[in-house]
Amino acid sequence: MATQSAQDGACDPPPRAEKPVKSAGFISKLRAFVKHEAEKNKSQWKTMGPAKVAVPSPNDFLQKHSKEPKLAPRKKEQDGKKLPALSVPRRTYRPVIRIKKNFISRNALAVIRGVPKKPRHFCVDSRQGDKYLLEPSGLVPKYIKKKDYGVTPKYVTQRNEEIKREEEEYEASVVEQLKKRALKQLSDEEKTSLLQGLKKNWEETNREFQCLPVLTDTRYKKMHKAKVEMKLKQLEHDIEALEKHKWVYIANE
């Protein structure tokens, strides 16, 4: 028996460990209410359309002029009375005037009375007969036969007149300025009085020069002496120029 129980124990598999049972977890009390609200807000065929669409009947095909707007029905005569006709025509009324015209005779008269067309001149420049119009080719001297050929254009003459007018105005202004700066001739009385004044200045300057000290040992004395000598030389030069020339001219300032 012991051996049999040992054999049975060797044949049976070892017992497996039982897995722990998981808890259901947290379940909200409002779960059913939320599901009801979600299903309530949904609508059928909102995006995909109905599951089955009714197929139109073959008898209801599109007919001609079926979609054109239809006019309102005419008003029937009330109580068998006709509506009064308008005695005065409307403002938009335009009477149709039909004039019978004989276009054949009119066209014939236009051809008879019309001026015949002038023949067009061509120029042939090859053996094969290639031709082109002669007038726009440049071989016809039509430009030299114009009325204004060789005539100075108006804008050129106008520009030349403006330039000439400006030159005359400039010359007049120059002459006026020269007249203002023209030399004036001294009269004999003015010349004599000027000469006397220069001689008097020379005498005073000469007296000042004679009074200078003999010894010029400082820089100031040397400069003063040179200044007086220069003044004397200038006065002598002016006196000599007035006495030498008979006519004296001075510039107008």
Side-chain angles (χ1 to χ4, degrees), residues 45-101:
W45 312 332
K46 192 168 184 180
T47 56
M48 300 301 294
K52 293 183 179 181
V53 181
V55 180
S57 174
N59 297 326
D60 298 336
F61 58 88
L62 184 64
Q63 296 181 358
K64 189 177 182 181
H65 305 294
S66 62
K67 291 189 177 182
E68 289 183 357
K70 295 181 180 180
L71 299 174
R74 257 186 176 184
K75 291 183 179 181
K76 294 182 179 180
E77 297 178 358
Q78 298 176 358
D79 300 332
K81 295 180 180 179
K82 293 184 178 180
L83 295 174
L86 295 174
S87 59
V88 180
R90 295 184 179 181
R91 187 176 296 176
T92 57
Y93 173 71
R94 295 288 183 273
V96 179
I97 301 173
R98 296 180 180 179
I99 302 173
K100 294 182 179 180
K101 295 182 180 179

Side-chain angles (χ1 to χ4, degrees), residues 105-117:
S105 59
R106 289 186 65 183
N107 293 339
L109 287 173
V111 172
I112 293 169
R113 295 175 182 176
V115 180
K117 293 183 179 179

Side-chain angles (χ1 to χ4, degrees), residues 34-44 46:
V34 171
K35 282 185 177 181
H36 176 68
E37 287 293 328
E39 292 176 357
K40 182 181 177 181
N41 293 330
K42 288 183 180 179
S43 58
Q44 294 180 353
K46 192 168 184 180

Side-chain angles (χ1 to χ4, degrees), residues 195 198-199 201-202 205 226-242:
L195 193 58
L198 289 173
K199 287 182 179 181
N201 290 339
W202 181 86
T205 309
K227 184 179 179 181
V228 174
E229 287 178 351
M230 191 179 297
K231 190 175 180 180
L232 279 173
K233 287 180 180 180
Q234 184 65 37
L235 288 171
E236 289 174 359
H237 177 270
D238 294 342
I239 291 168
E240 184 180 359
L242 285 173

Side-chain angles (χ1 to χ4, degrees), residues 13-21:
R16 293 182 181 179
E18 294 181 359
K19 294 182 180 179
V21 180

